Amino acid sequence: MENITYHNYQPTTLSFRDAVINGLSRDSKSIPPKFFYDERGSKLFAKICEQPEYYPPLVERKLLERLAGKIASLTGTGRVLIEPGAGNAAKVRLLLDALQPAAFVPMDISFDYLKSTARELAGEYPWLPVHAACVDYTHSLPIPQQAPEGPRLLFFPGSSLGNFDPGEAGDFLSLVRNTVGDNGMLLIGVDTKKSELLLNAAYNDAAGMTAAFNLNLLHRMRKELDMDCNPENFEHRAFYNSEAGRIEMHLVSKHKQELRVNGHSFNLEAGESLHTENSYKYAPEEFISLASNSGFKEVSHWMDSDGLFAIYLFEAF
Ligand SMILES: C[S@@+](CC[C@H](N)C(=O)[O-])C[C@H]1O[C@@H](n2cnc3c(N)ncnc32)[C@H](O)[C@@H]1O
């Protein structure tokens, strides 16, 4: 297809192996959340987004539907639109007609999933050049040379920023600021602080999709790293840590067990956990201040009437 290019800046499976060995070597064992997303993990995440308890995508979509025209009037049309962690690109579809970007650069760590998303988009929007880049956005945001010059808008929905610790979030926003340049803008969806009841329900959906997504990490370790780790020996645990202002997700060992990888061996006690994800929540004033420290000035922000989720538009300064 003419209006689509693919670029692979992908980290190798070696870095997954290294991350697992590093993570299991720590006193408090942890594995970074970016490793959730093999093809099955990406599909499970799409299922999470359909669960009624998991309010962020439902609320964010409604906001984007309502605000697309308003946002386009503030950004103008014809920008190069970049989306790190584009996934199935469901949300950007709500903006494309209004924003009329000069090109779209979806980025994702899961290359197969990215390719199918890019193909679908190019079919649905024949006027839109798509330059798909397989990247790890925690390291860099390389823009393919084929993307046109011109002002850039980076779209980062889904409160994915919440997966970073606040210090790392500031570093990431500085990287975004460099990537979009002086005329650049940032449109970002961020989850708000709210009742623990709602937060805990959101990450413990009744259909068990978040649990399956979390446990998929063990399937991935078994499949790709040839580890003898049975997901049935672990359980999903997610809770709001109000002091830190974050949801924490863990895989808890049901009993004492040993995990072996690449000649290393690690013992897990019963009840010991692998910390797999944080999801920080921000009050608007906290988030605007964080972005301002990375070179972004607020243009506007919007929330639903219950204050469940916020969308911010920033410009570089
Ligand atoms: C939580 S989903 C969000 C998808 C979409 N942006 C949305 O809001 O619905 C995260 C997406 O980011 C990708 N992802 C996660 N960590 C990443 C990383 N470090 N680099 C690139 N992509 C990543 C995953 O593969 C997944 O498709």
Side-chain angles (χ1 to χ4, degrees):
M1 233 183 265
E2 252 184 325
N3 63 342
I4 180 163
T5 65
Y6 301 104
H7 309 267
N8 191 355
Y9 309 94
Q10 192 179 19
T12 62
T13 40
L14 191 66
S15 63
F16 180 37
R17 182 178 292 114
D18 288 348
V20 169
I21 293 171
N22 279 344
L24 292 178
S25 305
R26 299 189 182 169
D27 287 343
S28 299
K29 298 181 173 43
S30 64
I31 296 177
K34 65 185 174 193
F35 294 110
F36 281 135
Y37 297 95
D38 62 351
E39 199 173 355
R40 181 166 181 264
S42 297
K43 285 186 177 146
L44 283 167
F45 183 76
K47 289 267 182 227
I48 291 176
C49 290
E50 293 166 6
Q51 302 311 306
E53 301 93 330
Y54 192 64
Y55 62 84
L58 305 171
V59 178
E60 189 179 33
R61 285 181 67 97
K62 277 197 189 141
L63 283 170
L64 290 171
E65 273 162 9
R66 176 160 70 77
L67 294 166
K70 175 77 192 161
I71 291 167
S73 75
L74 294 169
T75 60
T77 54
R79 287 180 178 263
V80 174
L81 182 61
I82 304 157
E83 186 181 355
N88 61 7
K91 288 172 194 156
V92 83
R93 283 177 170 83
L94 305 171
L95 299 174
L96 289 174
D97 286 330
L99 291 179
Q100 291 288 309
F104 179 50
V105 181
M107 297 176 165
D108 209 282
I109 202 164
S110 175
F111 201 20
D112 289 340
Y113 198 57
L114 177 70
K115 282 193 231 169
S116 71
T117 294
R119 271 194 301 272
E120 271 173 34
L121 272 177
E124 281 170 50
Y125 299 86
W127 51 268
L128 181 69
V130 178
H131 303 292
C134 183
V135 308
D136 178 349
Y137 64 62
T138 60
H139 290 161
S140 62
L141 295 171
I143 306 295
Q145 277 177 354
Q146 285 83 349
E149 296 295 318
R152 293 174 172 177
L153 169 64
L154 189 137
F155 179 48
F156 199 48
S159 208
S160 295
L161 193 92
N163 293 151
F164 293 110
D165 288 344
E168 295 167 348
D171 293 344
F172 177 75
L173 290 172
S174 299
L175 174 65
V176 170
R177 168 67 186 79
N178 276 339
T179 304
V180 296
D182 287 345
N183 301 317
M185 298 186 92
L186 165 66
L187 180 67
I188 183 165
V190 183
D191 202 5
T192 58
K193 289 194 158 130
K194 62 183 65 68
S195 109
E196 278 187 41
L197 222 59
L198 279 179
L199 283 168
N200 287 333
Y203 291 81
N204 291 284
D205 60 276
M209 289 302 157
T210 310
F213 174 73
N214 195 10
L215 288 159
N216 182 54
L217 196 58
L218 298 158
H219 286 281
R220 214 188 147 185
M221 283 156 64
R222 192 153 69 165
K223 197 172 75 184
E224 291 180 32
L225 307 180
D226 204 21
M227 290 175 67
D228 181 20
C229 55
N230 186 346
E232 288 185 3
N233 292 338
F234 291 83
E235 67 186 11
H236 161 77
R237 185 171 301 158
F239 60 90
Y240 187 61
N241 174 339
S242 57
E243 211 174 298
R246 68 189 191 207
I247 285 280
E248 291 185 16
M249 211 146 84
H250 295 260
L251 288 165
V252 182
S253 179
K254 286 186 187 164
H255 46 75
K256 198 173 160 76
Q257 56 182 310
E258 186 184 15
L259 294 183
R260 285 200 214 120
V261 51
N262 231 32
H264 302 263
S265 139
F266 303 95
N267 290 313
L268 268 82
E269 298 300 324
E272 189 175 354
S273 84
L274 298 180
H275 189 164
T276 50
E277 187 173 73
N278 286 323
S279 181
Y280 281 84
K281 312 298 171 188
Y282 290 94
E285 59 279 11
E286 285 176 320
F287 190 68
I288 291 164
S289 154
L290 183 77
S292 145
N293 291 334
S294 297
F296 282 114
K297 186 169 97 180
E298 189 203 359
V299 175
S300 197
H301 80 272
W302 304 272
M303 290 199 280
D304 57 298
S305 55
D306 296 319
L308 292 178
F309 199 88
I311 290 176
Y312 302 81
L313 181 64
F314 292 102
E315 62 190 3
F317 72 79

